Amino acid sequence: MATIRDVAKRAGVSVATVSRVLNNKGYAHEDTRKLVNDAIKELNYKPNEVARSLYKKKSRLIGLLLPDIRNPFFPELARGVEDEMQEQGLHLIIGNADEKPEKEIDYIQTFKQNNVIGIISATNHAETKLYENLSFPVVLLDRITGSYPSVYADGLDGGKIAAQEMVRRGSKRIALLRGPIELRTAQDRFKGAVDELCDANVDFQVITSSFSFHDAEKMAKTLFEKFPETDGIIASNDLSAAAILHEALRIGRSIPDDLQIIGYDDIPLSKLLFPSLSTIRQPAYDMGREAAKLLMNIINNKPLAQKNIQLPVTFIERQTTRKVEEND
Amino acid sequence: MATIRDVAKRAGVSVATVSRVLNNKGYAHEDTRKLVNDAIKELNYKPNEVARSLYKKKSRLIGLLLPDIRNPFFPELARGVEDEMQEQGLHLIIGNADEKPEKEIDYIQTFKQNNVIGIISATNHAETKLYENLSFPVVLLDRITGSYPSVYADGLDGGKIAAQEMVRRGSKRIALLRGPIELRTAQDRFKGAVDELCDANVDFQVITSSFSFHDAEKMAKTLFEKFPETDGIIASNDLSAAAILHEALRIGRSIPDDLQIIGYDDIPLSKLLFPSLSTIRQPAYDMGREAAKLLMNIINNKPLAQKNIQLPVTFIERQTTRKVEEND
DNA sequence: TTGAAAGCGATACCAG
DNA sequence: CTGGTATCGCTTTCAA
């Protein structure tokens, strides 16, 4: 690999000049500029990011921390972040924390050691001390705590809409899944639904469940054993909803006539389920993009319109809910 | 952040000594060693990977290139790679090439510039020149070309098994999906199936399809329009199979009585479909781990038992295929 | 067994 | 407008 020295020699100038041209900083005569640029092309020179990073204590890397790369919701977020960063000439180190704090610590360490200029985190432990004393900004994605800037979807509204749609379509004995207690986003959608259900003339049960694949199946079985009379289920995410749908069909429930299901997230596979899953859509890709933009604004010291960006959610009507007449 | 100088000062030794202790290289008196280690602990010193990397021209980073992070098969591979690397104290930069060569080039550039010590690639363009002239080893994952070491599952056998099971369970008019022509793995499973079907007393049709989410639905619709009399479908991957299953149920086909479906990959969601999807399982997680091990062996100049590692596939019987008596 | 000093490849200050 | 040079934090000869 050619170095800045090679370029300088070839162009017949000093490394300082090359550096200036490279970074469009300080003066450089038009002619020398051309000389340098030609040399750069001829040698196919690319600056060494490591050397740059060492001096400036800043790389062009962003750390992205995901809680569970197997849940299709997160790759979708990642795509949004990635696309936005790419447009800004930045790159991502994606870390999968796997819901384990040790892994998370380990990744944060790596991020630090590689001079990332910022972190976007969607893990479950951002409230803890892990993120303290960092010399670069942190943006939370799909997560909320008091202290960090964040991008998330409106969980209260999401829960509310889910409950409304469920009631409106006639379910009377509803099971409400409550995601991980420590996740503010999970609790928001839960609360939103609870509030709405309390006001409605329906019975409902609460079942606490994790977000992960592994637990979803067991949870689904238990649900139908304990509450066989349930005629409507508001799931905490699409993964759980898929497991529930599967189990419901297995035991011969008729969907949506006898049992309605509403998921949460709208992961790509939701529409491939059969019947396709009615769900509350979180704009995952856009959330990722917004988080990336927010982080960049912070890094560049741009004034922030708002520190916490909330995106709207929408009800996606598919086939696990019954049709009703529209009366707007 | 404390530097090696701080440690040296605190321990009352030179930076050279600290470095030696740090890397267990060269001599160091037991007492000084302790002195240094104490200082390291007290200051909570972590070596600056960037500086290290600049001097040695080697980082502790591995590049992992994925074609499509939204296809759940790939996160599974990634987990395998990640876990193995983590055990070796290495870290991953995951790049999502999105099936676009520009993105791939861009990531390879980033990998180079950040001194990765190796790349594991699962993209669709490894045959091209992108990977030439790299100063570090490349391992292909779920991909095969002549020139690079690789880890993959036995596609010929996979296709063969799928066809056997399909025929054995009584399908007579089979649609065989053929994945992307340029992917050797896709063609292997296709060929394996074709060979088997040719030998059997059945009709079959070939339909070419991509692996992506987006195209799956359209393809499914077309399939049933063009070949309504089909009674067995061998899909090119689980995503396509899910789309086909969805469409089949939508148009009222009875599964598996009237139509059997066999997928490929065994992504986590396959068992959550209803009926749950019979499929050919590729050991994705293990493939990831093996690829990581292979790469490390190459990096460490260990003798290789084999340059190309083929893992076995298995038929996972679920509910989109009919039961038959076992006669081993 | 230890330390001084020369890099690694870039940036940025300061002098000219 | 341009060039010399110290510097970023670490590793590795080479001498002592």
Side-chain angles (χ1 to χ4, degrees), chain B residues 4 19 45 48 52:
Chain B
I4 198 172
S19 177
Y45 165 75
N48 179 324
R52 225 175 217 178

Side-chain angles (χ1 to χ4, degrees), chain B residues 127-177:
Chain B
E127 318 81 354
T128 69
K129 306 186 182 168
L130 296 182
Y131 293 83
E132 285 174 14
N133 296 326
L134 258 27
S135 56
F136 44 77
V138 174
V139 164
L140 263 30
L141 176 53
D142 187 42
R143 296 291 177 264
I144 317 167
T145 70
S147 25
Y148 297 100
S150 58
V151 174
Y152 55 92
D154 188 345
L156 279 170
D157 195 45
K160 183 177 160 191
I161 295 175
Q164 280 175 340
E165 295 291 342
M166 188 55 90
V167 170
R168 196 176 144 227
R169 286 150 206 274
S171 286
K172 292 287 186 195
R173 291 176 306 282
I174 296 174
L176 176 57
L177 259 54

Side-chain angles (χ1 to χ4, degrees), chain B residues 265-292:
Chain B
D265 284 348
D266 194 27
I267 59 177
L269 270 142
S270 298
K271 69 156 139 356
L272 292 187
L273 296 175
F274 190 86
S276 57
L277 183 68
S278 295
T279 190
I280 304 296
R281 173 178 175 74
Q282 298 201 71
Y285 180 87
D286 294 334
M287 288 165 66
R289 270 202 111 105
E290 284 302 325

Side-chain angles (χ1 to χ4, degrees), chain B residues 1 16 29 70 89 151 198 223 227 247 276 310:
Chain B
M1 284 278 276
H29 191 88
R70 285 196 268 205
V151 174
C198 286
L223 190 158
F227 308 107
E247 179 65 12
S276 57
Q310 193 183 56

